[in-house]
Every structure is written in C-alpha cells, then in structure tokens.
Amino acid sequence: GYFSCHWCHVMQRQSYQHAATAEFLNQHYISVKVDRELDPDLDQRLIDFVEQVRGAAGWPLNVLLTPDGYPLTGFTYLPQADFLRVLQHLNGEWQQSHPALSAAARDFFDSRLRHHEGEALSAAETSATDLVDAFVSQAMQVADELQGGFGNTSKFPNVPLIDALLDSIERSESPDPDVVAFINLSLQVMATRNLLDHVNGGFFRYATDPDWQTPHFEKMLYDNALLAELYLKAHRFWPNRGYAGIALRTLDFIETSLKHEHGGYMSSLSAVDRDNREGGAYLWTNEQLSVLLEPAELEHLQQKGQLQSQPGEFLIPPLSDPGQPAKPGIEQSILRKLQSRGIDSMPVDDKRLASWNAMMLNALTAAADMDPRFTERAQRLYEHMRDIFFDDGSLIRFAGNVDIADAVLEDYAYTALAFLRYGQRFADDDALDLARLLCERAHDQFLIDGRWQAKAEPLIPIMRGKWIIEDLVFDSPMTLWLQVALTVPDLDSTAYDSARAMLQRATREMQANPYRYGSFIMLRAVGAS
C-alpha cells in the first residue's frame, strides 16, 4: 500500500492492527508490508497478477505467495471479518493440499504471467508511419471525445498517452482535427473541473467519475510535475489558451506544499486529513463560506458555481479562466480568504524519490524558458539532487535512506534525462557528464541478455525482463533511456550500439496494442525519419 491511500489506512486499522487477525497472520503466514513507492517493481508485478485473477487491482494490495515466490491469490480491500475468513480458508486448503496449490500457482504463472510479448518483428516488417497511425487510431478508440480523458469510468490524467498524441501532431503535416480537439478538450477539463484544486493549486491524482467532478484527494509530486511539463508543451502548440499559466501555478503549488527543508521535493499530500476526513481541507459548506466571506463575495462565488443549491460539503469552482490569475478586487479577496484555511491538515509523505524529483527537474527546466524565477529553482534542485541522490557514485532511490530501497531503472532513466536536459538548457558540462554516467550504469545494471529488468535484483527473480517496456503512469523508462543514449555526448560505444539496435525493436504485442507503447513508437518514428 501507500501513505496517501485512504483504504490502506482503513485496512491497517481494521485488520492488520486487529488482535485476532494479527495473531492468525503471525501464526500461519510470513507477513511483509511493502511501500509501493519504495519497491515499484514488486508492486507492478503483483498488480499484474491481481488484474489477471480479479479483473482489476489497486491498493491496499494483498497477495499471498507460495514459499517458492509464485503468487497464489490476491485481492484489494476486504472488511476485517472477510479478510480473516479468507486467511483461515486458504490456510486450511494449504495444510491439506499445498503441493497441488504450489503446482497450480506455478502453472498459472508460466501460462499467464511470464511476460509473453509475442514474436519479435524486424524493422522491415514494421513501418514507423504505420505504427504511429495505429497508435493514434487505438488511442482515439478509448478516448472520451465528449468529456476528455480516456475510458468511461474513473479518469486519470494519463500524461504519457496525451504527450504521445502531441508528438503525433508535431510530426504530421496535416494533424487530425479530431485528435487536436480531443487533446485540447482533455487539457481544458482537467484544469477547469475538479481534478484541479481551484483554491490551493495542484492536481489531485484522479477523478472517481467520468466527468471529472469527484476527485480522489491525494496530490502526488509525480502527477503535478508531469502535468506541468505537459501543459508547457501544449503551450508551444497553442500559446493563447492559458496552458502556461496552469503549468506555472502548478509548479508554484509544489514549491509551497511539497518542498523539503533539506532539499528536493516530498512525495505527496494524503487524501485523508489529520481527523481522518477524506478531502478534509478541500471541502466547504455554505455555512463555512457565509462566516468567512462578505455577502457580496459569497454571492459572487455562488454565481460562479451555483453553490447555494449544493447540500453538505462541496468543492470550490474555478474563479477564473484556465491559466488566468484571479481578477484584482473581489476575486482575489475571495481566493485569499479561502486560502487562509490552508492545507496543513493534510499529512505529507516526506519521502524524496529520485525519479519523482527528476520529473520535477524536467518541469522546472522547461519552465525556465517562461519565467526566470524557475531558472533559480531548477539550478537549486539540480544541486540538491547531486547531493541527496548519490552515494559513493551510485544513484539511490530514497534520499537519506540508502539501505531501505534500491534505485530502479525508472530512477536511472528519469534522472539521466533530467540531467541531460538541464545540461543542454544551461550549458552545464558536469550535468551532461552525470547523465552519461547514469545512462551507462543503467545499461550495465538493468539490461540482462537483451531484456530490461526494472530492478537489478528483483524480489521475484522468476520474472523475466522485458524486450520492450510499455508506458504506464510514467513514460517507459526504456524510451527515456534511449533518448539519453542517442543524445548525450561521449557515451560508451557498447551502450550507444545497444541503443541504435534497440530503436528498431518491435513485437506482435506492440503491433496489436500500440496505445500502450506510445512513447517508444513516437521515438522510433523520429529515429526512422
């Protein structure tokens, strides 16, 4: 589970701290609690398993494995009585027939979970243009062209997909107007509905409904850094739609709410306040507003969002157009009074993770072209990253805790790319040297027999590496590594040759489901042109 996950805390109180349940666990199982951000590779492998057996997965994630390391069953949140009942039933089954259960878990793993990417294809079989067209077509099949975003249930920002669609527009002489309209619709609704906190700033992690009205209230460093960079990129295409303002204010939110006193940026704000109220700092009642605001201010705010018709608690609507600051006068006064309540009641996860800080450095480096104050922030973060994310020349994942979590491919790829871009933007040769060093070490540590391992020594070693890594919440670390390897000066010839050859990779799986590989497909297309 994770710090800012509401139901993880509920299950902690109800089950893990329940005396009878804990006693049964300790007697019959070896229990290991894992912070999913400290071991993202293990988390992703077990998420894949639960998705296979349950159709969906999330957190809290409970997976029971055989002593050989094969997942046997898994589930997300269960009430205490149901959780204990499952544990008791499985223990009884295990005592009676554990050889058969072990064999079944191994067989399921071999047939369904061992990574089958399909047959590798040659470059001649896979036209770069055809792959780009297939990616755009499949992405638009899952696009919600009425309400923005992807799918028709919960809505996540899905930055890699939108970013790859932007790249497809950039390389096209006549962009598809439906794709252009969809991207702009998605960017607009994410910034004007309730994915964005219109009082305090910052994007929430996702919306629980298809029209972006009900957020899940945690705020993650990675979401906000990636979205800020995405809006800055969109600003280059459409400079008059307020996208730069959205990005810069998002970076200001990170600066005020997630900056760590000893350098770098912290991971997240919890969805649950200190009184165990979900979304506590963000929700208002008409009674609270009537105490805080003058009658004219309350009337102005009600006209903005018809608040007087809403019972109970609600979120504040935007006071201004996307990317525009509150107007001087009544709107600034309203915003100042609302902000006076602050968000200090939302606990903070103060972990500083290498890859997430690298995402922030990428965003700050891009923002430096828009406003000189971000130049200073980028330079400060780069210097802090050199200090807090390196130990004896090696990258560490969790600043100040070198022994708790190993750096993974994601850390190396994002940090190398951030240092490359920083070095290019500010003509910093030391940053370029570090980018090259990280790129070479990633090649040596994580590329095993031609396949990428997310972790140098996986906790489930029976899993194979990947021939091509797909996009998930973040861009594929393989794609990011390739961007560095193909660009950074003086790269070791072995790593460079690997990158050139890797750029030609393709598989049947990538051909069948191209929307999962957007970042690599777009990079491959650039390399082929």
Side-chain angles (χ1 to χ4, degrees):
Y2 181 59
F3 167 85
S4 66
C5 161
H6 171 64
W7 289 103
C8 296
H9 290 282
V10 173
M11 198 156 184
Q12 166 83 356
R13 292 193 308 273
Q14 290 182 348
S15 295
Y16 311 142
Q17 294 179 339
H18 183 266
T21 305
E23 182 180 359
F24 191 85
L25 275 168
N26 290 335
Q27 183 177 356
H28 299 287
Y29 296 87
I30 297 174
S31 300
V32 182
K33 283 187 70 175
V34 179
D35 182 320
R36 70 184 182 97
E37 305 306 353
L38 292 185
D39 214 309
D41 174 52
L42 176 64
D43 175 69
Q44 188 57 53
R45 292 172 188 269
L46 297 182
I47 280 284
D48 291 344
F49 168 73
V50 176
E51 285 179 341
Q52 287 276 349
V53 297
R54 301 290 178 191
W59 302 274
L61 186 72
N62 296 277
V63 183
L64 297 102
L65 297 90
T66 70
D68 294 329
Y70 293 96
L72 183 61
T73 189
F75 44 87
T76 55
Y77 169 78
L78 286 178
Q80 181 272 327
D82 295 338
F83 180 55
L84 182 56
R85 193 176 301 116
V86 169
L87 295 176
Q88 292 168 336
H89 173 75
L90 184 61
N91 179 62
E93 293 291 313
W94 183 260
Q95 298 302 328
Q96 293 181 23
S97 53
H98 67 81
L101 288 174
S102 291
R106 185 182 300 107
D107 291 346
F108 183 87
F109 177 87
D110 288 338
S111 62
R112 299 282 295 278
L113 284 181
R114 193 179 295 278
H115 196 76
H116 292 295
E117 296 170 301
E119 180 185 352
L121 304 175
S122 68
E125 295 178 89
T126 52
S127 157
T129 299
D130 288 347
L131 274 174
V132 170
D133 290 345
F135 160 73
V136 173
S137 174
Q138 197 171 71
M140 291 302 291
Q141 288 174 24
V142 295
D144 184 343
E145 296 184 68
L146 295 178
Q147 300 185 99
F150 299 93
N152 55 14
T153 53
S154 300
K155 289 288 181 65
F156 287 79
N158 213 323
V159 171
L161 255 178
I162 297 177
D163 186 63
L165 287 174
L166 276 172
D167 288 340
S168 75
I169 290 174
E170 190 168 28
R171 74 183 300 273
S172 174
E173 295 181 0
S174 54
D176 185 334
D178 290 339
V179 177
V180 172
F182 166 72
I183 293 173
N184 279 286
L185 172 64
S186 298
L187 294 171
Q188 290 286 325
V189 297
M190 288 193 294
T192 57
R193 298 187 188 172
N194 289 335
L195 189 72
L196 182 65
D197 178 356
H198 301 295
V199 174
N200 308 287
F203 288 90
F204 299 112
R205 193 163 73 91
Y206 69 98
T208 62
D209 60 313
D211 56 353
W212 307 90
Q213 295 298 339
T214 307
H216 204 275
F217 289 102
E218 65 262 66
K219 293 180 181 179
M220 314 298 292
L221 172 61
Y222 72 78
D223 276 327
N224 283 280
L226 292 176
L227 281 164
E229 189 178 5
L230 179 69
Y231 277 95
L232 287 170
K233 185 172 182 175
H235 171 78
R236 300 204 310 265
F237 291 84
W238 306 288
N240 299 315
R241 300 196 180 187
Y243 294 150
I246 295 166
L248 300 186
R249 282 209 292 280
T250 301
L251 293 175
D252 284 338
F253 154 76
I254 297 173
E255 190 72 15
T256 58
S257 299
L258 292 174
K259 184 179 177 181
H260 195 282
E261 61 179 340
H262 298 307
Y265 294 89
M266 300 180 287
S267 293
S268 69
L269 294 178
S270 176
V272 180
D273 72 8
R274 300 189 192 281
D275 296 324
N276 201 35
R277 295 172 60 247
E278 193 166 8
Y282 311 116
L283 294 166
W284 296 81
T285 65
N286 280 303
E287 290 75 18
Q288 288 172 321
L289 293 175
S290 65
V291 171
L292 193 64
L293 302 178
E294 300 293 333
E297 294 171 338
L298 182 59
E299 181 181 0
H300 183 87
L301 188 58
Q302 288 173 338
Q303 290 173 350
K304 286 281 183 181
Q306 296 81 44
L307 303 183
Q308 70 274 16
S309 64
Q310 296 203 41
E313 295 182 312
F314 47 81
L315 292 159
I316 302 296
L319 293 176
S320 56
D321 293 332
Q324 301 302 316
K327 296 176 183 177
I330 191 170
E331 290 191 353
Q332 282 189 353
S333 175
I334 292 170
L335 195 58
R336 186 167 56 251
K337 290 178 179 179
L338 296 179
Q339 289 171 340
S340 68
R341 187 170 75 165
I343 54 175
D344 294 340
S345 64
M346 309 307 289
V348 63
D349 175 10
D350 62 3
K351 288 198 304 295
R352 292 168 291 165
L353 301 177
S355 59
W356 296 14
N357 274 265
M359 295 172 200
M360 182 61 173
L361 181 56
N362 276 330
L364 290 173
T365 300
D369 291 332
M370 304 294 302
D371 189 323
R373 64 198 173 100
F374 293 100
T375 296
E376 180 183 352
R377 294 184 195 177
Q379 292 170 340
R380 184 175 64 240
L381 178 56
Y382 166 68
E383 292 166 1
H384 283 311
M385 288 189 69
R386 287 185 311 178
D387 293 338
I388 64 179
F389 289 116
F390 286 86
D391 180 70
D392 195 25
S394 296
L395 189 66
I396 61 175
R397 178 164 178 78
F398 182 8
N401 293 270
V402 65
D403 296 324
I404 290 179
D406 295 330
V408 296
L409 176 59
E410 168 196 303
D411 296 309
Y412 275 82
Y414 262 107
T415 305
L417 182 63
F419 284 5
L420 172 66
R421 290 178 176 173
Y422 177 89
Q424 292 172 326
R425 172 63 177 78
F426 298 107
D428 189 318
D429 290 338
D430 289 340
L432 294 175
D433 285 342
L434 279 172
R436 174 186 52 77
L437 175 66
L438 290 170
C439 186
E440 290 172 350
R441 289 192 173 177
H443 180 267
D444 294 341
Q445 291 185 40
F446 302 106
L447 191 64
I448 310 298
D449 296 327
R451 290 178 172 270
W452 286 105
Q453 291 279 153
K455 193 172 183 179
E457 296 182 7
L459 289 176
I460 304 182
I462 51 182
M463 297 289 281
R464 297 177 69 195
K466 294 187 177 182
W467 185 247
I468 301 174
I469 302 178
E470 70 273 28
D471 297 326
L472 294 169
V473 177
F474 313 142
D475 277 348
S476 160
M478 170 181 160
T479 302
L480 305 181
W481 181 85
L482 282 168
Q483 291 178 22
V484 180
L486 297 170
T487 307
V488 72
D490 304 320
L491 186 70
D492 174 81
S493 60
T494 301
Y496 181 78
D497 291 344
S498 288
R500 292 302 308 174
M502 203 174 296
L503 197 61
Q504 304 303 313
R505 288 184 175 181
T507 63
R508 296 287 182 201
E509 163 64 17
M510 190 172 89
Q511 199 173 54
N513 296 297
Y515 78 100
R516 299 175 57 197
Y517 298 85
S519 67
F520 178 63
I521 287 173
M522 297 311 305
L523 181 65
R524 197 173 180 275
V526 171
S529 60

